[in-house]
Amino acid sequence: MNVATDSPRRQQLTRIAARLFMQQGFDRTTVRMLADAMGIKSGSLFHHFADKQEILCAVIEDSTRHALFSARRALADAAPTTRARLLALARVHLDTLHDDRHAHGVALYEWRRLSDEDREHLTHLRDAYETLWLQVIEEARRAGQVQGDAAIITRYALGALNWTARWYDPDGPMDTAQLAHELVDMIVAPAS
Amino acid sequence: MNVATDSPRRQQLTRIAARLFMQQGFDRTTVRMLADAMGIKSGSLFHHFADKQEILCAVIEDSTRHALFSARRALADAAPTTRARLLALARVHLDTLHDDRHAHGVALYEWRRLSDEDREHLTHLRDAYETLWLQVIEEARRAGQVQGDAAIITRYALGALNWTARWYDPDGPMDTAQLAHELVDMIVAPAS
DNA sequence: AGCATAACCAAGCAAGCGCTAGTGTAAATG
DNA sequence: CATTTACACTAGCGCTTGCTTGGTTATGCT
């Protein structure tokens, strides 16, 4: 149940499942379709996962852990100005959202299909991620670079970024760096 | 297929369907569950709707038409300053999002379950709504109150607002007017 | 009275669903 | 060499699904 402890085989299957769950939705993706895409028979699937629910949980957990890990590293590497730290978070958010777009789409659209336990477990991971953002925005607020309630700004920023999943075309003319800049310009007092 | 032309009975059934679709998701809501909640038998459902897909389309169409109508009226009634117009749009967006929260949640989560034709049809309605926003934000940009690309700002703003569906608690301490102000403060140059 | 229409119901079909049971096999382990 | 483990297979059970059929009842118009 963890990126580090999962067998390579299981991680590979999880990625395939993420693609199908995103393309068809969880309910419409049958275990037979999953097995076909994985190159095994439907019965064999249950050697790797206890049930269909566990596959969904694995998809979301993998991608969330990866995002959390990347964001922490980006913050550690970023210049110590609040603006640079915010920009680093935004860039990493957009990049992981897009690189792992299947899994993050699943996390968005299929959240309610999780069992109560799985959802609570994944909520903690999510909260850890949001807290990274909240802390940086709270820094920015104390430095006078952001006005208003830090919690609301955080959720607005994350909402704006997550919504890009619905309209941003990675093959289009814009790149994620531009988008990240545009977001930071929107939430902090306009810079030079 | 229209708020004005739909029979009252059909609109009533559509509202019930919106609630169930939001609570359980489209795929997990069976025609029998719908019929039960409507107080009729499952077969009778197909007197009002050609198939299950058409119910989904009706749910989304009704709510989108209502939002478009409300936004147009709010703009007509708003004071002529760009800030007032933006605030009016934000307030109406949050209010309809919340009043009609079941149906708008369905529009968010079940968009991909629509048939291609239905989706194209509803996309036009959506575009009409987004255009209202884009025009006001473009005004604001020309007036120097907003920096950056108007199209991106529009999508960021709508994303931030739509995301409130995932965290805003209408029974909590905040009201939608505060939220709307917070958004406008975020995207326009900070006012007094 | 005669008729049209909207609204409903009981029953059930064909298809598809998640999952289980039991078995085979090649590689790792003692 | 004997045993275990990991992974895959075939076959199919029990159940639910969206939708259809064929017919009934209530309302209101001409």
Side-chain angles (χ1 to χ4, degrees):
Chain A
M1 281 287 241
N2 183 305
V3 173
T5 61
D6 267 9
S7 73
R9 179 69 171 142
R10 189 175 144 128
Q11 278 196 61
Q12 183 188 7
L13 299 180
T14 301
R15 271 195 299 275
I16 293 169
R19 199 187 75 238
L20 292 199
F21 285 163
M22 188 53 190
Q23 283 166 353
Q24 338 262 343
F26 178 72
D27 287 331
R28 283 178 133 80
T29 305
T30 68
V31 293
R32 290 177 237 282
M33 294 164 71
L34 288 167
D36 272 3
M38 293 165 176
I40 57 178
K41 298 296 173 184
S42 67
S44 313
L45 229 171
F46 294 92
H47 171 75
H48 301 278
F49 303 93
D51 51 27
K52 198 188 171 192
Q53 289 282 331
E54 191 176 299
I55 310 180
L56 177 60
C57 184
V59 165
I60 300 183
E61 173 153 12
D62 274 19
S63 63
T64 309
R65 273 193 203 284
H66 181 248
L68 180 58
F69 180 79
S70 301
R72 282 194 176 130
R73 206 183 43 179
L75 270 188
D77 294 349
T81 70
T82 54
R83 195 183 169 84
R85 287 161 67 75
L86 215 44
L87 191 61
L89 277 184
R91 288 199 60 165
V92 144
H93 190 96
L94 286 167
D95 283 341
T96 58
L97 191 70
H98 163 242
D99 288 346
D100 230 0
R101 95 191 85 105
H102 295 315
H104 280 100
V106 171
L108 165 55
Y109 289 116
E110 313 292 352
W111 187 257
R112 293 168 310 159
R113 302 294 175 272
L114 292 163
S115 70
D116 288 346
E117 307 133 52
D118 286 346
R119 188 165 40 236
E120 196 192 354
H121 170 225
L122 293 175
T123 296
H124 288 138
L125 268 180
R126 276 245 154 156
D127 285 350
Y129 182 79
E130 275 198 33
T131 299
L132 287 182
W133 274 83
L134 184 59
Q135 286 169 346
V136 174
I137 288 186
E138 181 58 31
E139 285 171 28
R141 198 191 59 77
R142 277 199 297 267
Q145 294 192 258
V146 159
Q147 291 185 326
D149 185 286
I152 295 179
I153 303 283
T154 299
R155 283 165 165 159
Y156 275 167
L158 286 172
L161 290 178
N162 287 332
W163 202 253
T164 60
R166 282 180 77 98
W167 58 267
Y168 174 61
D169 174 16
D171 302 323
M174 261 178 308
D175 65 0
T176 54
Q178 278 178 264
L179 277 181
H181 264 105
E182 201 81 50
L183 181 97
V184 174
D185 285 345
M186 185 172 82
I187 65 179
V188 307
S192 61
Chain B
M1 281 285 245
N2 183 304
V3 173
T5 61
D6 268 7
S7 75
R9 181 66 173 142
R10 189 175 143 128
Q11 278 195 62
Q12 184 188 6
L13 299 179
T14 301
R15 270 194 299 275
I16 293 169
R19 199 187 73 236
L20 292 198
F21 284 163
M22 189 51 190
Q23 284 166 351
Q24 337 263 341
F26 178 72
D27 287 332
R28 281 179 136 79
T29 307
T30 68
V31 292
R32 288 176 240 276
M33 294 163 70
L34 288 167
D36 272 3
M38 293 164 177
I40 59 178
K41 297 297 173 182
S42 67
S44 313
L45 231 170
F46 295 92
H47 171 75
H48 302 277
F49 303 92
D51 52 27
K52 200 188 168 192
Q53 289 282 332
E54 190 175 300
I55 310 179
L56 177 60
C57 185
V59 165
I60 300 182
E61 173 152 13
D62 274 18
S63 63
T64 309
R65 273 193 203 283
H66 181 248
L68 181 58
F69 180 79
S70 301
R72 282 195 175 126
R73 206 182 42 178
L75 271 188
D77 293 348
T81 70
T82 55
R83 195 183 168 85
R85 288 161 66 75
L86 215 44
L87 191 61
L89 278 184
R91 287 198 62 163
V92 144
H93 190 96
L94 286 167
D95 283 341
T96 58
L97 192 69
H98 163 243
D99 288 346
D100 230 359
R101 94 192 86 107
H102 295 315
H104 281 99
V106 171
L108 164 54
Y109 289 115
E110 314 292 354
W111 187 257
R112 293 166 312 158
R113 302 295 177 276
L114 292 163
S115 69
D116 287 347
E117 308 132 51
D118 286 347
R119 189 165 38 238
E120 197 192 355
H121 170 226
L122 293 175
T123 296
H124 288 137
L125 267 181
R126 275 242 155 158
D127 285 350
Y129 183 79
E130 274 198 33
T131 300
L132 287 182
W133 275 83
L134 184 59
Q135 286 168 346
V136 174
I137 288 187
E138 181 59 32
E139 285 171 25
R141 198 192 57 78
R142 276 198 297 267
Q145 295 192 258
V146 158
Q147 291 185 324
D149 184 287
I152 294 179
I153 302 284
T154 299
R155 284 166 164 159
Y156 275 166
L158 286 172
L161 290 179
N162 287 332
W163 202 254
T164 61
R166 282 179 77 96
W167 58 266
Y168 174 61
D169 173 16
D171 301 324
M174 262 179 306
D175 66 359
T176 55
Q178 279 178 264
L179 277 181
H181 264 105
E182 201 83 49
L183 181 97
V184 174
D185 286 344
M186 186 173 81
I187 65 179
V188 307
S192 60

